[in-house]
Amino acid sequence: TSIPFVGFGFADNFIMILAGDAIDNTIGIKMGISTLAAAGLGNLISDVCGISLGEFVESWSYRLGLKNPALSPEQLNQRRTRWIKSLAAIIGISIGCILGMIPLLFLDDHKMVFFSDEESALYEELFLKNNVPPMAFFSLIRNATWRTAEPGDVIVSPGVRFQKVYIIRSGTAIAYRDGKALFSYSGKKMSTESEEKASRIHKRGCVIGGTALVDPSVLDSPYKNEVKALDNVTYLEFTLTDLAKSMHEDKHIRAAMFSILYKDLIQGLRSNKNRGKQRKKERKLDDYLNVMEAVLADGLVHPMERSIIMRMRAKHQITDSEHSQCLQSFGWSDEEWLQGIKEMPK
């Protein structure tokens, strides 16, 4: 009879789907395994359960009166009997497997590791180019919150200790002090009108509060500027503690954030259009940053490298403040520069 095989097929598919989905959304996310791997593990659990369920299904079949037909050994060995037996098994297990797919009607097939459109765009624009693995980015944004602000909304208030970091995805925000516009923050997506207004003032990239990642001493003082949305702004909000922890635990996240801050520094200089003298200064600082990056790459500053940097500083007239900013963009402090070694996080 094909009835026992209906039970086998139902139990096999039912358990595999539930177990595979649970693995996919728990262990799969934490360990980064694929959906197919999760399905394979679910099938393993289903097969193990099927061994113990086999006798249970057969016993219930007998209780329902579904016994094997009384056939002689000669009849059982006939080709027609074997064909009918196999066909019944195929039909039964097929029906059971189809019925066992019932959980699919109630399960959400949107895997939690999938990114939203905003998250995918942010990943491709800022993190993918720095070789951040998708799972590392997924873990990072799970500790963050998407926020929106309408034109005129205050994003950051002055006079309070600001212990967050915002990465603007779209729109433009303006930083004011004493009612005067100082600089703008903007994401990749900007309206034409906002881009025109923001072009009149100094640009600071897309990160608000990033200075505290390289210079925690700024947290000792209240935030001095008021940041308002110029148009509709979408941004990702991190607590400084969570983001710093992610940077400490994953070198790819750390490199990506320092790269973003470094580019913001360069963008800020290039957007400040102070005639030809400023543009020349930007090129000199750009060259200085390139040399500094090579010197600091191994975490040590050798005497000959320090001598090269000092001569270049004198030649390009790099100020102490600009030198400190360059160090901070690579995660170095002035003290570490003087000591000639980068201290590793404890």
Side-chain angles (χ1 to χ4, degrees):
T1 177
S2 63
I3 299 301
F5 290 97
V6 174
F8 296 149
F10 176 86
D12 187 70
N13 245 15
F14 190 91
I15 296 173
M16 183 193 71
I17 290 172
L18 291 179
D21 182 73
I23 293 171
D24 198 24
N25 288 311
T26 53
I27 302 173
I29 291 175
K30 293 181 179 179
M31 299 182 63
I33 66 174
S34 67
T35 300
L36 287 176
L41 293 174
N43 190 57
L44 169 64
I45 295 173
S46 175
D47 289 343
V48 171
C49 293
I51 294 174
S52 59
L53 288 174
E55 293 182 0
F56 177 80
V57 173
E58 288 182 352
S59 66
W60 269 99
S61 297
Y62 280 112
R63 290 183 184 182
L64 293 173
L66 302 173
K67 299 180 180 180
N68 292 325
L71 298 176
S72 66
E74 291 78 14
Q75 289 174 319
L76 289 172
N77 287 326
Q78 290 181 2
R79 178 178 296 179
R80 182 172 59 182
T81 304
R82 294 198 299 270
W83 273 101
I84 292 174
K85 183 178 180 181
S86 298
L87 182 61
I90 293 172
I91 294 174
I93 204 165
S94 298
I95 294 174
C97 286
I98 293 173
L99 293 175
M101 295 171 67
I102 288 176
L104 295 178
L105 298 175
F106 308 100
L107 293 176
D108 181 7
D109 79 356
H110 180 78
K111 188 179 178 182
M112 289 190 295
V113 77
F114 287 171
F115 299 140
S116 67
D117 292 340
E118 292 286 353
E119 291 167 346
S120 296
L122 185 67
Y123 175 66
E124 292 173 3
E125 292 165 3
L126 299 180
F127 292 89
L128 178 60
K129 62 183 66 175
N130 289 289
N131 300 317
V132 175
M135 290 307 303
F137 178 70
F138 176 78
S139 299
L140 176 70
I141 59 176
R142 289 296 80 101
N143 294 323
T145 305
W146 282 103
R147 304 285 188 192
T148 58
E150 297 181 353
D153 286 352
V154 176
I155 298 177
V156 183
S157 299
V160 296
R161 283 183 170 82
F162 184 58
Q163 298 187 349
K164 296 181 180 180
V165 176
Y166 298 157
I167 299 180
I168 295 182
R169 160 68 187 125
S170 62
T172 302
I174 307 295
Y176 298 89
R177 186 179 300 177
D178 299 327
K180 180 181 178 181
L182 299 178
F183 41 79
S184 66
Y185 299 97
S186 58
K188 291 291 183 180
K189 295 165 59 179
M190 298 173 58
S191 65
T192 304
E193 182 180 357
S194 296
E195 188 171 5
E196 183 180 350
K197 292 180 180 179
S199 65
R200 301 170 189 168
I201 57 178
H202 192 68
K203 293 183 179 179
R204 288 290 296 270
C206 64
V207 181
I208 303 175
T211 303
L213 293 172
V214 292
D215 184 13
S217 64
V218 301
L219 297 174
D220 297 334
S221 303
Y223 198 76
K224 298 179 180 179
N225 304 323
E226 180 182 49
V227 182
K228 288 185 176 182
L230 179 62
D231 53 8
N232 291 317
V233 177
T234 301
Y235 59 96
L236 196 59
E237 175 189 296
F238 297 91
T239 64
L240 186 62
T241 303
D242 287 341
L243 183 55
K245 181 181 178 182
S246 297
M247 292 173 63
H248 171 67
E249 294 176 347
D250 194 301
K251 63 180 182 180
H252 298 100
I253 298 294
R254 182 168 62 253
M257 289 306 303
F258 284 144
S259 176
I260 294 169
L261 294 172
Y262 161 77
K263 290 176 181 177
D264 283 356
L265 173 65
I266 296 299
Q267 182 184 14
L269 287 172
R270 288 176 176 169
S271 65
N272 191 9
K273 301 177 181 179
N274 285 335
R275 307 184 192 93
K277 183 177 180 180
Q278 179 63 31
R279 289 195 295 271
K280 185 177 180 181
K281 181 69 174 179
E282 291 171 5
R283 288 194 295 270
K284 289 180 178 179
L285 184 58
D286 209 346
D287 293 339
Y288 187 70
L289 279 165
N290 290 333
V291 175
M292 182 75 79
E293 182 178 17
V295 169
L296 301 179
D298 60 355
L300 297 172
V301 180
H302 302 282
M304 183 177 295
E305 293 174 334
R306 187 184 299 277
S307 177
I308 293 173
I309 290 295
M310 296 303 292
R311 289 199 302 270
M312 193 171 187
R313 278 191 65 182
K315 179 180 178 181
H316 291 336
Q317 298 179 341
I318 304 297
T319 66
D320 290 341
S321 175
E322 290 168 342
H323 175 72
S324 296
Q325 281 186 300
C326 292
L327 288 174
Q328 290 174 7
S329 69
F330 296 110
W332 281 61
S333 65
D334 290 332
E335 290 76 17
E336 290 171 333
W337 168 258
L338 293 175
Q339 294 172 4
I341 186 169
K342 171 66 177 171
E343 295 183 2
M344 298 302 294
K346 295 181 180 181

